[in-house]
């Protein structure tokens, strides 16, 4: 593959570089091409080809804080670009990724595909992002962060409308650095590099100042295509119609550049760093050595702690400082824990601002990983600090980005997670010991398993092995990356294997949900599937099942079994074929449709009310509508209590009796988000230029393609039938509404009347009478169990003692019911090395041989079976002989004496 992607727009030899007297060079270390004004430069500026020269020597005209640098960047572009507010870090408008990794994620794939116009063109923004792939390097290199803000100025060029492209983009970057920040132009290098991500690709510049990467300028004009001519990192791409300028400037990197501090953490989170330092027994920390760590880490690819310490020690000795390796490693470990804690608590601030509930799946897993790593760092540092306090400190400093941080949600979740973490620490020893004993070591896979399945950190695992077995286990340097790679994936929709022509079927179910009879023309027919010019049959989608009904074709009635959406076509699955071109009439089963409509609107009402009652952290996880009942899965951290259920039902009834309007509108994508926010994306990602918005007045608003009633009064009432935890952080609510709810109540009433007729309750009422019967039954069962236990104990105590191969066992012969027999078998297995139980079972006798492994029951059973013509079944620990002859004590002793060795 070439170093630079060649496209129809040429390479990166820009007129801008010529006019500004840049020269193109090939790096003597990595062999890549770059542009510079410094004619003496031979390296590209990209670590590890170059180290940092800005630490303690900032090339920027003044030191900037995060807020000041953010305002500086946005202000620089505000006259020519539209400012866009940041999107959430959890990209609910996408289903292929879990976290926003870069600002372009906000616009993929709906804008980059050309389907939706951008919210501004050109635009400028600062987008909070979280990347978990470099978690292991945080705190170690001085530069890595799990969360950051990506500044960008983007432009979207269409065939009929050009905004700006490579020349202008590069000039903007150059002028921001030189004019805006006062950087000497000879310190800037533009390194050529192909770029790909999210199904797109193109040429790119990585921009460096004094060895620090501060920006990437991407010229996106390629789309992923298996037949494409251009190859980037093993994937093929072809030209797309749009040309997109996708820039990414690291806000934190620019702040660090302006301050020249030893690490990026000192520059962007000084208040938290100072707080943590003040909690240490020894708050002093050698910033000169930390600066050396950062500069030496820049030269290592891949990063290696031992190599870093060795190189740092050599450099320190050259600078006449006295420090030994042990002291150096202690400083490194302490600084790494401190910086990791500061970084992770900031990332958690972003996650909590989006109400991410820690769990063992998806983005909740990534949140829990950061929480447990943070608690581990607090333990390692030996400091008394509440993780919540650190997160709140970050939120206070970031009020301009997150003005309404959810403190109540944070203060609920963190104590729960801390309790789970402490409980895990108590159990960790036995779990690690069990895994270690299997092979006498812990492999990387074992460490991942212990963390992923049990939450035990690799440091905890290795400490336990060292303490109990005196053996050192090496932790993979990319351990967290291995774990994150298992979970850091969205849900990619499954493509349908069948292919149908893309015929625009008019959706009559959207024109008027009361239409149940219609006429249509068959525009496609294959087997038992047809596509018509229009239909009133709602196709399956959004958790709402397909309508059913029938078509009339001439004098023939043909069942319509299922409708499905393929692009713009609605495909009808039939009980028998209908020919192409036929004129037919369709008839929807409206009883079914009506119940599904009621349950769909009730789902929206219930979701909105759950958010009011339980908190803003409630999001829809999944739904399924039915005719008798429906289910709604929501994000919630605890089992829903009876009081909460009652409050939810009462609030739903309040809104139903108020007959709130249910509005359905198609709104342009960006306008819909500006008006209603990202709560729209509850039930999936829309695939059109517009979002079909369903709004229940003052209760709920979301994008939805289903059929709905006109007002909440049509729901009648809503009854919650059951709630349950289906996985950590997800609660399931099963409910009925309308006539389905009435059916449930009538069924319950019939049950109550039947019970009353049998129980004939007294003045205390049916409820107390039934509870009394239940209590009486429980007392009876307890007494029965007590008597059974006494009976079994009597049988065992009076058993005949027998001996085989110097092992003493017992023999019991008695008439036993099945329940007593099972209890006896279970009891003797625990009490004696081997036992024999003989009883009558129907027309046969049954003799059971039981052992804890002291003898081979199957072998002995076969010997007995040969003497009494019996049949053997079972295993070496539990074998049964069925025969017509009863096994007695005399036979047992005779067999043991004569045939058993």
């Amino acid at each position: 593959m070439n170093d630079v992607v060649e496209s129809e727009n040429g390479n990166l030899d820009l007129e801008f570089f010529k006019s500004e007297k840049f020269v193109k060079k090939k790096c003597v270390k990595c062999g890549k091409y770059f542009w510079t004004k410094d004619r003496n430069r031979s390296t590209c500026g990209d670590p590890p080809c170059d180290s940092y020269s800005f630490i303690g020597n900032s090339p920027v005209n003044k030191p900037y804080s995060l807020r000041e640098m953010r305002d500086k960047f946005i202000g620089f572009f505000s006259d020519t670009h539209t400012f866009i507010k940041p999107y959430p870090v959890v990209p609910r408008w996408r289903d292929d990724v879990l976290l926003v990794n870069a600002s372009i994620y906000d616009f993929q794939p709906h804008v980059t595909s050309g389907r939706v116009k951008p919210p501004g063109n050109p635009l400028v923004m600062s987008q909070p992002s979280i990347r978990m792939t470099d978690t292991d390097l945080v705190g170690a290199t001085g530069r890595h962060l799990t969360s950051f803000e990506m500044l960008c100025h983007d432009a979207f060029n269409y065939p009929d409308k050009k905004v700006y492209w490579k020349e202008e983009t590069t000039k903007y970057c150059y002028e921001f650095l030189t004019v805006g920040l006062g950087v000497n132009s000879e310190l800037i290098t533009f390194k050529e590099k192909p770029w790909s991500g999210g199904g797109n690709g193109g040429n790119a510049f990585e921009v460096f100042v004094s060895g620090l990467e501060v920006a990437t300028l991407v010229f996106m004009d390629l789309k992923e295509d298996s037949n494409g001519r251009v190859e980037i990192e093993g994937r093929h791409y072809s030209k797309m119609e749009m040309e997109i300028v996708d820039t990414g400037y690291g806000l934190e990197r620019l702040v660090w550049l302006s301050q020249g501090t030893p690490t990026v953490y000192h520059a962007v989170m000084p208040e938290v760093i100072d707080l943590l330092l003040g909690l240490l027994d020894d708050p002093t920390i050698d910033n000169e050595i930390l600066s050396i760590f950062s500069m030496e880490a820049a030269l290592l690819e891949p990063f290696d702690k031992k190599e870093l310490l060795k190189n740092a020690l050599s450099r320190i000795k050259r600078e006449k400082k006295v420090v030994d390796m042990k002291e150096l490693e202690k400083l490194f470990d302490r600084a790494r824990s401190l910086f990791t804690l500061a970084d992770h608590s900031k990332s958690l601030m972003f996650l909590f601002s989006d109400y991410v509930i820690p769990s063992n799946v998806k983005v909740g897993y990534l949140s829990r990983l950061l929480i447990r790593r943070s608690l581990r760092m607090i333990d390692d540092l030996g400091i008394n600090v509440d993780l919540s306090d650190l997160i709140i400190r970050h939120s206070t400093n970031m009020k301009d980005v997150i003005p309404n941080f959810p403190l109540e949600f944070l203060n609920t979740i963190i104590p729960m997670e801390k309790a789970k973490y402490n409980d895990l620490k108590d159990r960790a020893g036995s779990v690690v010991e069990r895994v270690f004993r299997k092979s006498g070591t812990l492999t990387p896979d074992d460490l991942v398993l212990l963390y992923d399945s049990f939450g035990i950190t690799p440091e905890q695992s290795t400490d336990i092995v060292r303490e109990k077995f005196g053996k050192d286990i090496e932790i993979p340097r990319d351990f967290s990356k291995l774990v994150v790679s298992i979970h850091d994936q969205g849900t990619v929709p499954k493509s349908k294997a069948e292919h149908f022509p893309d015929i625009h079927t008019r959706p009559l179910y959207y024109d008027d949900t009361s239409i149940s009879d219609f006429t249509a023309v068959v525009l496609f027919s294959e087997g038992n599937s047809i596509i018509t010019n229009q239909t009133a049959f709602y196709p399956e989608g959004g958790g709402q099942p397909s309508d059913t009904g029938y078509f009339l074709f001439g004098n023939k009635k043909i069942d319509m079994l299922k409708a499905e959406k393929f692009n713009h076509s609605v495909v009808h699955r039939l009980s028998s074929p209908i020919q192409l071109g036929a004129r037919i009439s369709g008839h929807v089963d409206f009883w079914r449709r009506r119940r599904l409509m009621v349950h769909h609107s009730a789902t929206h009402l219930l979701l909105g009310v759950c958010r009011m009652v339980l908190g803003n952290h409630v999001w829809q996880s999944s739904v399924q509508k039915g005719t008798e009942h429906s289910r709604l899965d929501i994000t919630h951290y605890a089992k829903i209590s009876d009081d909460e259920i009652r409050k939810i039902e009462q609030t739903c009834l309040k809104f139903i009796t108020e007959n709130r309007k249910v509005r359905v509108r198609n709104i342009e994508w960006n306008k819909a988000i500006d008006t209603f926010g990202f709560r729209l994306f509850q039930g999936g990602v829309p695939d059109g230029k517009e979002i079909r918005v369903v709004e229940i007045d003052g209760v709920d608003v979301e994008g939805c393609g289903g059929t709905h009633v006109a007002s909440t009064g049509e729901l009648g009432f809503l009854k919650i039938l059951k709630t349950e935890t289906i996985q950590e952080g997800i609660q399931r609510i099963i409910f009925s509404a309308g006539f389905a709810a009435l059916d449930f109540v009538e069924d319950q009433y019939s049950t109550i009347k039947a019970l009353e007729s049998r129980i004939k309750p007294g003045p205390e009422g049916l409820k107390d009478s039934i509870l009394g019967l239940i209590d009486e039954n429980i007392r009876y069962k307890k007494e029965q169990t007590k008597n059974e236990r006494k009976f079994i104990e009597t049988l065992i105590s009076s058993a005949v003692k027998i001996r085989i191969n110097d092992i003493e066992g017992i023999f019991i012969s008695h008439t036993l019911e099945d329940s007593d027999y099972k209890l006896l078998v279970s009891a003797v297995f625990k009490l004696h090395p081997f036992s024999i139980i003989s009883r009558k079972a129907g027309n046969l006798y049954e003799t059971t041989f039981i052992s804890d492994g002291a003898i081979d029951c199957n072998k002995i059973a076969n010997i007995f079976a040969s003497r009494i013509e019996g049949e053997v079944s079972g295993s070496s620990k539990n074998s049964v002989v069925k025969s017509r002859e009863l096994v007695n004590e005399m036979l047992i002793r005779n067999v043991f004496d004569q045939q058993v060795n």
Side-chain angles (χ1 to χ4, degrees), residues 105-116:
Y105 276 45
D106 297 349
F107 312 117
Q108 288 176 314
H110 53 289
V111 175
T112 57
S113 67
R115 188 178 75 239
V116 174

Side-chain angles (χ1 to χ4, degrees), residues 453-468:
S453 299
F454 302 98
I456 303 170
T457 67
E459 293 82 6
Q460 286 175 300
S461 296
T462 54
D463 287 350
I464 290 167
V465 169
R466 186 180 301 110
E467 181 181 333
K468 289 194 173 186

